[in-house]
Amino acid sequence: MQQTRRLLEIMARLRDPDTGCPWDRQQDFASLVPYTLEEAYEVADAIERGDFTDLRNELGDLLLQVAFHSRMAEEQGLFDFEAVAAAIADKLERRHPHVFAGVDFASDTERLRYWETSKLEEQSEQTGQPPGSILEGVATALPALMEAQKLQKRAARHGFDWDSPAEVLGKVREELDELEQAVASGDTAHVREEMGDLLFVLVNLARHLDVDAETALREGNRKFRRRFRFIEACVERAGKQLADCTLAELDAFWDEAKRAGH
C-alpha cells in the first residue's frame, strides 16, 4: 500500500494548481478517454505477446489513468480513489455469493444468470428506475466486435440463441446470400446493412466455437502484417517497387510467405 499512497501523492502534486504540471492540470475526464482506451489496449497487446515485463509497465500506465480520474473527481467533491476501490470490492463480494456468502449454484449457467440479474438490480438502484433491458450495461463505446459478442452472450443466457455451430453456419450462408443480393442491387445503404448483419452473425459463430472474435481478428491482423512484410522484402530483393508488380506476382510472394510459415 505504500506505493499506492506514493502514486496518489504524485498525482496530487501533478494536479496542484500552482506548482503542478501544466499538461496534467489542463486535463479533464473527456480529454483522458483516448489515453485510457490506449492503455487498456496496450495491456492486451503485452499479454498477447507474452511480455510480462511490459505487462507490468502497461498495468502501471493503466493504473495511472484510474488515479488520474479519481484525483479529478476528488477535486470536484465527487469521489476519491478509496471510494473507487471500495465500490469494486463491494461489487465483487456482492456478485460472488458462492465465495463470500455460502451460496451454492447448481451450474455455471445459474451463476452467470445471477451475475446478470445483480447487474440489473445495481443499475436500478443507481437510476431509481425498475430494471430495464438485459442488454443495458453493454457499453456502446466498445469496439464493435466486443460489443456484438457481449450483446449475444447476454441474450444467450436468457435463452435467445442457436443450439449448435451448424445452425449458425446456416445463418452465415443466409446473410452472405443477402449481402450478394444487396451488392447486385447497387444500394450502398443496403450493402452496409447486410455487411453489418454478416459481421454480427460471424461473431456469433465465433462465440459458438469458443473463439473470442476480437482476439481472432487481432491475430489475423498480425498474420497479415507478417506476410505483407515478407512480400515487401521479396519485392525489394527483386529490385522493384510494389506498384511495379502485378497482382499475380504479389500473390505468388504471398503463397511463398504461407509456405515459409509467416
Side-chain angles (χ1 to χ4, degrees):
M1 298 303 293
Q2 178 181 352
Q3 296 304 319
T4 302
R5 286 194 297 271
R6 179 184 172 212
L7 171 62
L8 298 179
E9 289 168 359
I10 290 172
M11 194 69 253
R13 288 191 62 183
L14 291 172
R15 288 282 297 178
D16 186 281
D18 298 319
T19 61
C21 169
W23 186 89
D24 290 279
R25 293 201 311 264
Q26 291 169 4
Q27 302 311 307
D28 58 26
F29 294 115
S31 70
L32 285 182
V33 167
Y35 301 101
T36 306
L37 292 173
E38 180 182 345
E39 298 303 349
Y41 279 114
E42 289 181 356
V43 166
D45 180 66
I47 292 171
E48 289 171 359
R49 289 185 286 105
D51 188 336
F52 295 104
T53 298
D54 197 28
L55 176 60
R56 178 198 62 202
N57 296 332
E58 296 301 344
L59 286 171
D61 291 343
L62 186 57
L63 180 59
L64 169 61
Q65 296 299 309
V66 178
F68 208 146
H69 283 282
S70 299
R71 178 62 194 178
M72 292 188 298
E74 184 176 358
E75 292 167 359
Q76 298 179 33
L78 301 173
F79 56 83
D80 60 11
F81 187 91
E82 278 296 300
V84 172
I88 187 59
D90 290 344
K91 182 184 294 185
L92 288 171
E93 290 181 346
R94 185 169 58 249
R95 293 188 183 177
H96 294 83
H98 51 299
V99 176
F100 299 104
V103 174
D104 290 325
F105 292 118
S107 64
D108 281 343
T109 301
E110 184 179 333
R111 177 178 55 79
L112 290 171
R113 188 173 293 121
Y114 173 86
W115 178 279
E116 297 297 343
T117 301
S118 296
K119 293 180 72 171
L120 288 175
E121 290 174 350
E122 289 164 7
Q123 292 164 10
S124 179
E125 290 176 3
Q126 292 171 3
T127 62
Q129 300 294 324
S133 169
I134 62 170
L135 302 181
E136 289 182 9
V138 177
T140 57
L142 287 170
L145 288 180
M146 293 176 64
E147 181 187 4
Q149 194 162 267
K150 283 181 173 290
L151 290 171
Q152 292 164 8
K153 284 182 177 179
R154 289 282 184 93
R157 288 170 190 161
H158 294 266
F160 191 71
D161 198 11
W162 283 284
D163 292 327
S164 69
E167 292 179 333
V168 191
L169 276 168
K171 186 64 176 176
V172 169
R173 297 185 184 98
E174 176 185 328
E175 294 295 350
L176 184 58
D177 288 341
E178 292 179 2
L179 176 59
E180 289 177 343
Q181 293 168 17
V183 171
S185 75
D187 186 333
T188 302
H190 192 200
V191 170
R192 184 172 61 248
E193 177 186 357
E194 294 300 339
M195 178 61 74
D197 291 346
L198 177 60
L199 291 171
F200 191 84
V201 76
L202 284 171
V203 173
N204 227 328
L205 177 61
R207 183 176 60 84
H208 273 265
L209 296 173
D210 293 324
V211 172
D212 181 86
E214 184 76 16
T215 301
L217 184 55
R218 287 169 65 87
E219 290 174 350
N221 291 342
R222 286 199 297 274
K223 183 191 294 183
F224 181 85
R225 286 176 185 269
R226 291 195 306 270
R227 290 181 178 174
F228 196 80
R229 288 183 184 126
F230 182 90
I231 290 174
E232 290 175 316
C234 290
V235 170
E236 183 178 356
R237 284 197 298 271
K240 295 183 176 182
Q241 299 291 325
L242 283 169
D244 300 329
C245 299
T246 65
L247 180 58
E249 289 176 306
L250 296 177
D251 276 340
F253 289 142
W254 178 272
D255 291 337
E256 186 178 343
K258 290 174 65 175
R259 290 192 297 271
H262 292 288

